[in-house]
Amino acid sequence: MNSSAKSLQANKDLVAEYIRLFYNDKDFDRARRLLTEGFVNHHPGVGAGRDRTVESFSAVATALPGFSLTVRRVVAEGDQVWTHSVAKAAPDAPPSIVVDIWRVEDGRIAEHWDVGQGLPEGSSLEELIEDAG
């Protein structure tokens, strides 16, 4: 594996670890360490900075303790990682499909954007999972 491929894999691994810690384990202290000090979250209503991001989602996690984010696809290019995921507010809740874009800087996550939608009518989560294989 060349150094460029190693760097892309390292970025993918970083984002996967962050998603696991932040969204699924809700280990906010460890997740915060994976963000740059000047982290910018472009999600509306979250507020500026890594601390505000953590505060915002910890409130969501308190209200929705069963929230989960399951990554189905990952693409890395340059300093960016894109994830295509299934989000659920609770284990029995209807799924949403989410695309997150993460910018990595010096081995930590520096920026985040996301878009999401409900599962399109006439499609199934199984189809999404099969397509990801």
Side-chain angles (χ1 to χ4, degrees):
M1 188 180 292
N2 65 35
S3 64
S4 177
K6 286 180 183 175
S7 176
L8 293 176
Q9 188 59 52
N11 288 351
K12 289 166 122 179
D13 292 345
L14 170 68
V15 167
E17 178 74 355
Y18 179 79
I19 288 171
R20 183 184 66 78
L21 290 170
F22 190 76
Y23 295 106
N24 297 323
D25 294 352
K26 284 112 178 135
D27 187 343
F28 300 117
D29 290 334
R30 287 186 56 210
R32 177 181 311 192
R33 292 184 215 137
L34 301 179
L35 303 174
T36 63
E37 278 190 45
F39 175 75
V40 177
N41 193 337
H42 297 279
H43 185 88
V46 171
R50 70 179 172 190
D51 291 338
R52 187 68 189 118
T53 292
V54 170
E55 290 166 10
S56 294
F57 192 74
S58 64
V60 170
T62 299
L64 303 170
F67 180 92
S68 67
L69 186 67
T70 305
V71 176
R72 298 293 180 206
R73 294 178 181 85
V74 181
V75 176
E77 183 176 307
D79 65 352
Q80 295 184 355
V81 176
W82 299 52
T83 56
H84 183 221
S85 307
V86 176
K88 294 183 92 178
D92 59 344
S96 293
I97 309 308
V98 180
V99 173
D100 291 281
I101 305 167
W102 312 87
R103 186 176 65 79
V104 177
E105 179 180 287
D106 297 326
R108 294 197 292 166
I109 300 170
E111 230 169 333
H112 170 252
W113 299 261
D114 65 322
V115 294
Q117 69 180 51
L119 192 63
E121 187 175 331
S123 62
S124 72
L125 189 54
E126 290 75 24
E127 288 173 320
L128 175 69
I129 294 167
E130 287 174 14
D131 288 347

